[in-house]
């Protein structure tokens, strides 16, 4: 890794349009000299949104294209793939990833490709057969299914293309598994007040690919679907929300012990996700590190961190909305699931009021390092005021003193 001197990797997630708007020289200077970090995590495949741009000289609101990539694909690698990527229009202005890796080779920031895998509304609408489907058969257009062979071919080719064509230091895989129901689409409406378990039940996939793959593993998929449908219908009939399992998120798959057909399906979901990440690792250039980003979903997305830690070189635990004590405890739990040789990054948002001062960021960063983190990833360069980069500098200096 460029610039690797034994110090922990400290990086900021960054969008390519930030680099285009502000200029590579400015971004590099901001990150290295002002924020004191030694890495950049650049978005290379991303979804739609609306982003307030506090420092852009060109705009204050930006709407990126949905489900596009931010690098130039190799047509030879994509020949025969049914699902094809679309290059974002801004890449015609500048191939940011190419410029960043060239700067790295001259002694600049280490480069991670922040890659959204299966959260892709554009591709879901083009290929509804490749989307996850709930127990009622409704497609989740924003969520490609990790069991579907065309999806697996798409994402493995994408990472192979990235790693062989651009040679970043790291690829960070975001959403390589099953996505949830809530907060994954725009203008969502829920007048019932679905509980956490209801949201999860609505996210369980019963597409043809999952039915076939789970069936081969001995899961009674039809029995699971029947029970899931019943539980959701019961939830939809409540006058007032009433969680069945108040400790749902923390209990894990054991919460479904009284519904063994659902528990079997939930435990099976680790297989398509683990095997997909293994296929990605096999397809990637072996010189490029592969990390998985865990956005507080864990088992609910089908992510078995212990198993993934045996395949990948790193895991990024997004420890958002946590005070230092909780962050340290939760990071230690993730660390315990991973092998000693696996890198553990901890992701932190720089948003206010979650972070109110430099001391807030430093306290959380030091808590993460005490719990066994080897790296820190800060979110997000282009979304925060320039003054908050000084807060990151205070945190990065504290981490370097600690390390």
């Amino acid at each position: 890794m460029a610039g690797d001197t034994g110090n922990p990797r400290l990086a900021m997630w960054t969008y390519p349009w930030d680099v285009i708007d502000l200029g590579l020289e400015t971004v590099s200077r901001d990150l290295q000299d002002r924020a004191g970090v030694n890495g950049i995590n650049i978005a290379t495949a991303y979804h739609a949104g609306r982003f307030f741009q506090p420092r852009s000289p060109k705009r204050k609101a930006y709407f990126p294209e949905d489900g596009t990539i931010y690098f130039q694909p190799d047509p030879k690698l994509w020949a025969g793939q049914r699902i094809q990527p679309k290059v974002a229009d801004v890449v015609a202005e500048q191939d940011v990833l190419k410029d960043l890796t060239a700067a790295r080779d001259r002694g600049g920031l280490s480069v991670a490709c922040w890659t959204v895998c299966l959260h892709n509304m554009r591709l879901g609408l083009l290929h509804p057969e490749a989307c996850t489907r709930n127990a009622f058969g409704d497609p989740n257009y924003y969520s490609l299914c990790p069991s579907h062979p065309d999806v697996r071919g798409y994402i493995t080719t994408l990472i192979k293309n990235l790693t062989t064509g651009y040679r970043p230091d790291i690829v960070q895989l975001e959403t390589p598994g099953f996505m949830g129901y809530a907060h994954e689409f725009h203008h969502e409406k829920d007048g019932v007040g679905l509980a956490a378990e209801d949201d999860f039940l609505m996210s369980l996939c019963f597409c043809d690919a999952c039915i076939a793959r789970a069936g081969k593993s001995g899961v009674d998929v039809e029995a699971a679907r029947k029970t899931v449908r019943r539980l959701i219908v019961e939830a939809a009939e409540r006058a007032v929300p009433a969680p069945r399992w108040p400790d749902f998120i923390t209990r894990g798959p054991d919460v479904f012990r009284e519904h063994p057909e659902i528990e079997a399906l939930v435990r099976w979901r680790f297989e398509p996700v683990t095997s997909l990440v293994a296929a990605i690792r096999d397809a990637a250039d072996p010189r490029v590190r592969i990390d998985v980003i865990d956005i507080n979903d864990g088992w609910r997305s089908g992510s078995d961190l212990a198993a993934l830690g045996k395949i990948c070189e790193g895991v990024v635990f997004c420890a958002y909305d946590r005070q230092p004590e909780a962050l340290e405890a939760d990071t230690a739990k993730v660390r315990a699931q991973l092998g000693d040789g696996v890198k553990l990054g901890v992701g932190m948002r720089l948003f206010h009021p979650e972070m109110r001062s430099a001391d807030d960021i430093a306290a959380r960063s030091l808590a993460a390092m005490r719990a066994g983190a080897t790296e820190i990833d800060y979110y997000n360069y282009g979304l925060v005021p320039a003054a908050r980069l000084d807060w990151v500098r205070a945190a990065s200096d504290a981490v370097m003193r600690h390390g």
Side-chain angles (χ1 to χ4, degrees), residues 301-322:
S301 67
S303 295
D304 180 344
L305 293 184
L308 294 176
K310 296 176 182 177
I311 297 167
C312 298
E313 290 80 13
V315 167
V316 179
F317 169 54
C318 293
Y320 301 157
D321 294 319
R322 287 169 171 81

Side-chain angles (χ1 to χ4, degrees), residues 58-76:
K58 297 183 179 180
R59 61 195 126 217
K60 281 295 173 279
Y62 186 66
F63 294 79
E65 296 174 79
D66 196 9
T68 57
I69 63 172
Y70 293 86
F71 64 94
Q72 293 292 352
D74 181 350
K76 296 189 294 296

Side-chain angles (χ1 to χ4, degrees), residues 1-5 7-14 24 27-28 31-32 37-43 96-97 99-114 166-172 288-289 291 375-377 400:
M1 182 184 297
D4 189 354
T5 61
N7 290 324
R9 183 176 190 269
L10 307 177
M12 292 190 73
W13 281 300
T14 305
L24 179 59
V27 172
S28 298
L31 293 177
Q32 291 178 284
V37 301
N38 51 32
I40 184 171
N41 307 333
I42 191 72
V96 170
L97 180 57
D99 292 344
L100 284 171
T101 53
R104 175 209 55 197
D105 293 343
R106 297 191 299 269
L109 296 159
S110 71
V111 179
C113 290
W114 168 27
Y166 286 84
R167 287 289 307 281
D169 299 291
I170 305 166
V171 172
Q172 296 178 329
V288 177
R289 198 175 103 191
D291 289 3
E375 307 179 356
I376 307 290
D377 299 276
M400 290 302 181

Side-chain angles (χ1 to χ4, degrees), residues 233-273:
V233 168
E234 289 175 359
E237 293 174 346
R238 293 188 303 240
V240 177
R244 296 178 184 86
W245 305 289
D247 57 348
F248 171 77
I249 293 175
T250 58
R251 279 185 61 186
D254 286 344
V255 75
F256 293 109
R257 189 58 54 85
E258 62 193 82
H259 301 291
E261 67 279 17
I262 299 180
E263 183 182 3
L265 177 66
V266 171
R267 293 190 183 281
W268 166 81
R269 281 157 49 103
F270 294 127
E271 186 282 324
V273 178

Side-chain angles (χ1 to χ4, degrees), residues 131-337:
C131 297
T132 61
R133 288 180 180 262
N134 65 32
F136 299 88
D138 310 315
N140 299 309
Y141 293 111
Y142 56 84
S143 175
L144 300 176
C145 183
S147 294
H148 198 284
D150 290 341
V151 173
R152 296 169 75 90
Y154 164 76
I155 194 60
T156 53
T157 303
L158 190 76
I159 305 306
K160 181 177 182 178
N161 196 160
L162 261 179
T163 59
T164 59
Y166 286 84
R167 287 289 307 281
D169 299 291
I170 305 166
V171 172
Q172 296 178 329
L173 305 175
E174 181 179 326
T175 64
F178 295 96
M179 299 188 66
Y181 175 72
H183 308 303
E184 308 294 0
F185 195 61
H186 306 294
H187 302 294
E188 296 178 343
K189 308 294 182 183
D190 167 24
V192 172
L194 296 174
E197 67 263 24
D198 302 323
D199 175 84
F200 178 74
L201 292 170
M202 283 292 290
S203 77
L204 288 175
C205 183
F206 295 90
C207 73
D208 290 344
C210 276
I211 290 172
R213 197 175 182 103
K216 289 179 181 178
S217 297
V219 177
D220 190 341
V221 183
E222 287 307 314
R225 175 156 57 182
K226 181 178 179 181
T227 304
V228 169
R229 288 169 65 108
R230 176 176 61 81
L231 293 175
I232 292 172
V233 168
E234 289 175 359
E237 293 174 346
R238 293 188 303 240
V240 177
R244 296 178 184 86
W245 305 289
D247 57 348
F248 171 77
I249 293 175
T250 58
R251 279 185 61 186
D254 286 344
V255 75
F256 293 109
R257 189 58 54 85
E258 62 193 82
H259 301 291
E261 67 279 17
I262 299 180
E263 183 182 3
L265 177 66
V266 171
R267 293 190 183 281
W268 166 81
R269 281 157 49 103
F270 294 127
E271 186 282 324
V273 178
T274 301
S275 62
L276 175 58
V277 173
I280 290 170
R281 175 64 276 179
D282 289 343
D285 188 310
R287 295 167 291 185
V288 177
R289 198 175 103 191
I290 302 295
D291 289 3
V292 171
I293 298 176
D294 177 35
I295 311 180
N296 297 325
D297 292 318
W299 66 274
R300 288 174 290 156
S301 67
S303 295
D304 180 344
L305 293 184
L308 294 176
K310 296 176 182 177
I311 297 167
C312 298
E313 290 80 13
V315 167
V316 179
F317 169 54
C318 293
Y320 301 157
D321 294 319
R322 287 169 171 81
Q323 294 299 314
E325 296 80 7
L327 185 150
E328 185 169 353
D330 290 345
T331 300
K333 291 176 184 176
V334 176
R335 177 76 270 173
Q337 296 178 63

